[in-house]
Structure formats: structure tokens, C-alpha cells
Amino acid sequence: MDIGRSSLGSVDMRLLQRLKRLPRTGGFQLFIAVMILSNSLLIGVEVQYRAVAGTGADRAFLAMQHCYGAIFLVEMVLRLNCEGLSFFTSDFWAWNCLDLLLVGTSMIELILDIIYATSGLAVHSSALVLETSNFRIIRVIRIIRSVRTVRVVEVIGALRTLLHSLCSTFKTLVWAMLLLLIVIYVAGVIFTQVAYEQLQAQPIAALDNSVNTMLAQYWGTLGSSMTTLFQSISGGVDWDIVVQPLGDIHQVWLLVFIGFITFVTFAVLNVVTAVFCQAAIDSAEHDKDMVLQ
């Protein structure tokens, strides 16, 4: 009996050790990545089905979503057992907390589905409000769960490098947007002042009606001028159209606008692109996972 118990205990210990090492294996991580991608595709199919059919989700969708939820819950339990407190203190603590949040929302969704299924159809107003609120909460939870697709980047090295580069260049993006905003603001003040003086000095009848309308539309206020300038350099509007009322005022303002487009397109945006590329290269070189590979 003692020999049998000892052998059974050794088998249990080996099984526990294998379960503890399982989340670190490449096969397990690949399986979870496939589950995340397929779950995201299922959410998209469900949203498309509801949009076309105009009805609520089919029970088959609910059953499959809960199956995915159970898989992710088992994954989370195995990872917590494997990593322990390092789950919240490792370099990937943000990813881990995101996973924990999403698995928790899956459990909340399951509970709400059970409550709705067991409560029956509501006929009075208070129950109807509760039912509608539950549906809204479930929709929000499913939208949040689709965010977990980003988690796949941890398994795919190329995607992880790209995401790390994007996050590292966020600070550069803020300063670049600030610089671009300053340039657009200064130009917007100039063109708005020009449009204001023209509209005040010239009677409406003295200026072509279409030109007057375009001048007020594109350059009438500081906000509209800054919007027009941003659209002109980003492809939101053809700048040949918005510059026509300025050219009708005087050819000097046409040249000033062309100078603005030239300066921003060939100087500011190229410098910003170069800074972004350098920041992305630096972040890729300091990516610990890429260095280990």
C-alpha cells in the first residue's frame, strides 16, 4: 500500500510540474493565440449576423462564446499557478492585467446571460429597463473582449516589435503634433485675419457670391482656417479649391499659402518622419525579447 501511495504521489507531482510548465511552452502559447484570433473572428461574425438579421445573438453564438470563456479561464488559472506573484510584477504585468480583466468580463457576461435566461421575458417597465441594461453591459463586454486580439503580438515576434516601436514613438508623436499644431495655428491666424478684413471691407455685392461663400466657409473663423490647413496637408481636401478665395483677394496670399504647403510638406513632415524612424530603430534595438532571440 505504501509503495502504491508513493508511486501515485510521484505521478501527481509530475503531473503538477507539467501543468506548471505548460503555459511556458510554445505549443500552449500558439494554441492560445489561435483561440484569441478565432474568438475575435467569431465576435465579428456575430456582429455581422446581428446587423444583417436585425435580431439578437443566436444561442449557438452564446454557447461558443462561453466555451471560449471557459478556455481562457483555464488558461488564466494555469498562468497564475505557473507565475505566482511574478504575474503582477514581471515585465509583462500590463499584458497580464489586461488578460485578467478580459477573463473577468467573460465571467460577468456568463453570469448576466444566465440571469437573463432564467428570468424569462420581462413585461413590466422596471424589469424591461433591467433587461435593456444587461444587454448594454453585455455589448460593452464583448467590445472589450475583442481588444484581446492585440494579445497575439506577444506570440508573434514581428508584431511584438512593431507594437513596441509604436509605443516607444508615442512621446515623439506628441511633440510632433504639437509642432505641427503651432505651425498650423500661426498660418491660421494670418489667413483668418486676411479673410476677416476682406469680408468687412468689401460689401457682399462687390465680391462674387461664390467666392464670398468659400472665403467664409474655409477661412471665416480661426477653427475653420486651422481645419482647412490640416486637411490641405493631409489629403482631406484639394488645396487648389480652398486657395481660390485667397487668390481672388490678392496673389500675395496665394504665394503665402503655397509657401505654407511647401514648408510643411517638404520640411516639417519629412523631419517628423525621420525622427519617427530613428525612434522606432532605437526602440527595436532595446527590445529585450528581440535581443534574446
Side-chain angles (χ1 to χ4, degrees):
M1 292 294 292
D2 293 338
I3 296 176
R5 290 179 180 177
S6 62
S7 61
L8 183 59
S10 62
V11 171
D12 293 338
M13 287 298 296
R14 287 197 299 269
L15 180 60
L16 291 176
Q17 291 176 357
R18 288 181 180 178
L19 289 177
K20 195 170 184 177
R21 293 193 301 265
L22 181 62
R24 300 182 183 274
T25 60
F28 180 84
Q29 295 179 0
L30 180 60
F31 171 76
I32 294 300
V34 172
M35 289 296 100
I36 293 174
L37 288 176
S38 59
N39 185 31
S40 300
L41 291 175
L42 178 63
I43 293 175
V45 171
E46 180 182 354
V47 171
Q48 176 66 16
Y49 171 81
R50 294 176 62 182
V52 174
T55 59
D58 190 83
R59 291 185 178 272
F61 286 113
L62 296 177
M64 287 187 286
Q65 289 288 1
H66 295 328
C67 289
Y68 279 106
I71 293 173
F72 294 143
L73 178 62
V74 172
E75 176 218 357
M76 188 57 57
V77 172
L78 291 175
R79 289 175 56 191
L80 286 171
N81 178 64
C82 174
E83 300 181 20
L85 292 178
S86 62
F87 184 87
F88 302 99
T89 59
S90 64
D91 294 337
F92 301 101
W93 66 269
W95 286 114
N96 296 336
C97 291
L98 175 64
D99 287 344
L100 190 61
L101 173 64
L102 295 177
V103 172
T105 56
S106 299
M107 296 302 102
I108 295 175
E109 180 185 2
L110 175 60
I111 294 173
L112 291 176
D113 282 339
I114 294 175
I115 293 175
Y116 174 74
T118 56
S119 61
L121 295 176
V123 292
H124 49 87
S125 59
S126 61
L128 184 60
V129 171
L130 179 61
E131 177 185 341
T132 305
S133 301
N134 288 342
F135 271 125
R136 289 176 180 173
I137 294 173
I138 290 174
R139 284 197 295 267
V140 172
I141 289 173
R142 287 173 182 168
I143 292 173
I144 295 175
R145 285 176 59 186
S146 63
V147 178
R148 204 187 187 211
T149 308
V150 185
R151 189 69 169 84
V152 179
V153 301
E154 183 184 346
V155 180
I156 304 176
L159 292 179
R160 182 175 63 244
T161 302
L162 288 175
L163 184 62
H164 180 73
S165 299
L166 288 174
C167 294
S168 300
T169 56
F170 181 77
K171 183 178 179 180
T172 306
L173 173 64
V174 174
W175 292 115
M177 290 299 100
L178 180 59
L179 173 62
L180 189 60
L181 178 63
I182 293 174
V183 175
I184 291 177
Y185 173 77
V186 173
V189 170
I190 295 174
F191 292 126
T192 303
Q193 183 65 27
V194 170
Y196 171 77
E197 293 178 356
Q198 180 66 27
L199 293 174
Q200 291 295 319
Q202 293 285 346
I204 296 178
L207 199 63
D208 184 78
N209 190 36
S210 61
V211 174
N212 184 72
T213 302
M214 293 177 62
L215 192 65
Q217 176 183 354
Y218 294 116
W219 311 105
T221 63
L222 180 59
S224 61
S225 296
M226 294 179 65
T227 303
T228 300
L229 291 171
F230 180 76
Q231 290 177 331
S232 299
I233 62 177
S234 61
V237 66
D238 189 353
W239 64 265
D240 181 59
I241 297 176
V242 300
V243 79
Q244 287 180 6
L246 295 177
D248 290 334
I249 296 175
H250 200 283
Q251 291 298 313
V252 171
W253 302 118
L254 173 62
L255 296 177
V256 172
F257 184 86
I258 294 176
F260 167 81
I261 295 294
T262 303
F263 173 72
V264 173
T265 303
F266 296 103
V268 176
L269 294 184
N270 281 334
V271 170
V272 169
T273 302
V275 172
F276 266 88
C277 291
Q278 186 60 44
I281 292 172
D282 294 340
S283 64
E285 291 178 350
H286 290 85
D287 186 3
K288 296 181 180 180
D289 292 333
M290 191 185 69
V291 172
L292 291 177
Q293 289 177 359

